[in-house]
Amino acid sequence: YTCGYFGKWHCGLSTLPSDFDFEGWSEFRYGSPYASDAYAEYLRAKGLPGPQVVIDKDFVDPANEGETFDLLGNGWGPFSASGRLLGPIETHEAFFVASMANDWLTETVGEKPFFLRVDPWGPHHPYHSAGEFVGAIDPDCIPETPNFHRTYEGMPLTFENCRRRWNRGEDIRDWSEWKTPLARAYEQAMVVDAAFGTVVDHLEALGLLDNTLIIMNADHGDAIAAHGTMFNKDSLMIEETMRVPMVVRWPGMASNGARCDALVTNLDLPATVVDAAGVETWEMDGQSLRPALEDVETPLRDDLLCQHHGAFRIEMFQRMLRHEDLKYVAHLNDFDELYDLGDD
C-alpha cells in the first residue's frame, strides 16, 4: 500500500507521520497551517488571497470583537474565539488540507492500493466559519443547551478545574453570549464537511470511489456552551466530548443511510482497515466493524472502557465504563459518577 497523511498530527513533540513511512504533509506538535510555507505555496498556486478573520466573540479579550486579523504567517488569531473568514472558502485550512490530499491522489495512486488520512484541524476552536456557510445557522434559532446553567455542586472537582483552566474571564451564564459562537461552531463543521466532499468527488473523478472504504471520524467532541459554559474537550468524560461522529461508506458492505447503535471506539478503526485490506488480523485493542456494517443489529461488545491520563502536565486520571445506558466514571483522588443515560 502507498500511505498518505495530510494535516493535523498532534501525536508527540519529536515525530511526524513520515517517521512511520507515510507520505504527505504535517507539522510537529499541534501545528499552525496558516503560518506554514506549504499553505503560502497553496495560496500562490490557487491564486487565493491571504486569510483574514473577523472576530465576533472572544472569551479572553473582548477588545478583539469586531476586529480583523490576518492569519497568513501568524497562526490562528485569537484562539478562544469565534469568527468568520473573509474571502473564498478555499482559504480555510480544511480546504488546504483536502487539496493536498487530492493532489497526492492524482500523482501517486495507480494500480497500487492506497491508504490516506485527511486530518484538518477543525471542527475546533477558534470556530471559524467560511464561504457560503457564514450565516447559515441563525443563532436565534438555537435553543439553550439542556445543561447550560448547571452548577458543579456535588460534582467531581474536575469540572470546576476544567472550566477555570481556560481563563475565559468572567463566568458568563448569559445565553446571548454563547449562541453566536455555537452557531459558528456548527458552521465550521459544515465547512469541514464540504472540504471532505471535495475528496469524495475527486475519488469519483479518478474512478476509485466504489473501490474505496471511507471513514469519517473525530478524535474528540466539544463541550461548547454545555455543562456550565465550557468549550473544548479538556479532561471530562461527558457525552459532548466522548460521543463523536462516525460515518462509514463501504461499497457492497454497508447499507446506504443505515444507522447503528453498537458501542464502537476509534480503536476499532485500525482493525477495520486491516480487515478491509484482506490482511489477517492479529491481537488488537479494537475489533473490525464489519459485522455491524453487515447487520446494524449486531452488537460488537457488551461494554466499552475509555481512559484518560490528563493533559498539559495536569494529572486527571479517569476511566469510563459504558454498558447499555449505564455510564460509570471513576476519578483518581475524587469521587465517582454513575448515570443512567436513559434518564440523566
Side-chain angles (χ1 to χ4, degrees), residues 15-300:
T15 62
L16 289 172
S18 56
D19 294 306
F20 303 94
D21 295 328
F22 282 84
E23 300 174 0
W25 177 86
S26 296
E27 292 194 313
F28 289 110
R29 299 176 180 263
Y30 187 84
S32 182
Y34 295 121
S36 68
D37 292 339
Y39 180 76
E41 176 56 33
Y42 163 75
L43 294 183
R44 287 191 291 269
K46 299 291 185 181
L48 295 169
Q52 293 184 313
V53 62
V54 178
I55 301 301
D56 49 37
K57 182 64 180 178
D58 189 329
F59 287 99
V60 172
D61 188 357
N64 289 328
E65 294 172 9
E67 298 296 319
T68 300
F69 291 83
D70 291 318
L71 301 183
L72 183 62
N74 296 318
W76 295 103
F79 201 56
S80 298
S82 66
R84 58 193 187 279
L85 285 180
L86 304 175
I89 193 173
E90 288 80 9
T91 60
H92 194 281
E93 56 88 8
F95 276 80
F96 159 59
V97 173
S99 177
M100 288 191 295
N102 288 333
D103 289 344
W104 181 84
L105 284 169
T106 299
E107 296 168 0
T108 65
V109 173
E111 295 182 0
K112 192 174 182 180
F114 69 92
F115 172 84
L116 171 64
R117 282 193 56 126
V118 185
D119 285 77
W121 275 255
H124 196 288
H125 71 88
Y127 310 106
H128 292 166
S129 183
E132 65 266 32
F133 300 108
V134 173
I137 303 295
D138 181 358
D140 291 330
C141 292
I142 304 177
E144 282 189 9
T145 55
N147 50 34
F148 177 72
H149 290 288
R150 82 169 304 169
T151 64
Y152 307 129
E153 182 179 358
M155 299 295 293
L157 293 176
T158 302
F159 280 78
E160 182 64 27
N161 291 339
C162 289
R163 188 185 63 80
R164 290 180 176 179
R165 187 181 313 146
W166 290 102
N167 188 27
R168 295 193 305 274
E170 62 180 343
D171 181 10
I172 303 172
R173 295 298 179 103
D174 185 344
W175 180 249
S176 66
E177 300 287 338
W178 286 89
K179 59 184 181 181
T180 296
L182 184 55
R184 293 285 181 255
Y186 290 153
E187 291 169 1
Q188 186 193 40
M190 298 163 76
V191 172
V192 173
D193 188 59
F196 279 133
T198 69
V199 180
V200 176
D201 291 343
H202 198 61
L203 288 169
E204 185 173 29
L206 294 173
L208 299 170
L209 184 60
D210 289 334
N211 191 32
T212 301
L213 164 64
I214 300 175
I215 303 174
M216 187 173 181
N217 186 227
D219 57 346
H220 62 79
D222 199 307
I224 179 174
H227 294 278
T229 65
M230 289 190 176
F231 64 74
N232 199 11
K233 60 187 185 297
D234 214 288
S235 298
L236 298 171
M237 289 190 159
I238 53 180
E239 292 295 279
E240 289 86 349
T241 62
M242 299 303 294
R243 292 192 63 179
V244 298
M246 183 180 288
V247 181
V248 179
R249 186 184 193 274
W250 191 337
M253 181 64 63
S255 299
N256 191 30
R259 297 177 63 91
C260 179
D261 292 328
L263 280 174
V264 301
T265 165
N266 51 18
L267 292 177
D268 293 334
L269 299 188
T272 303
V273 169
V274 169
D275 184 8
V279 177
E280 183 177 351
T281 58
W282 55 94
E283 184 177 349
M284 306 177 80
D285 290 323
Q287 57 194 71
S288 174
L289 300 177
R290 181 191 291 265
L293 295 174
E294 290 178 325
D295 181 0
V296 295
E297 301 298 327
T298 300
L300 288 178

Side-chain angles (χ1 to χ4, degrees), residues 320-339:
M320 185 195 85
L321 181 64
R322 268 296 297 272
H323 170 68
E324 297 179 348
D325 280 343
L326 294 178
K327 177 178 177 179
Y328 175 68
V329 183
H331 298 260
L332 180 66
N333 299 326
D334 206 342
F335 59 86
D336 301 341
E337 305 168 78
L338 177 62
Y339 302 100

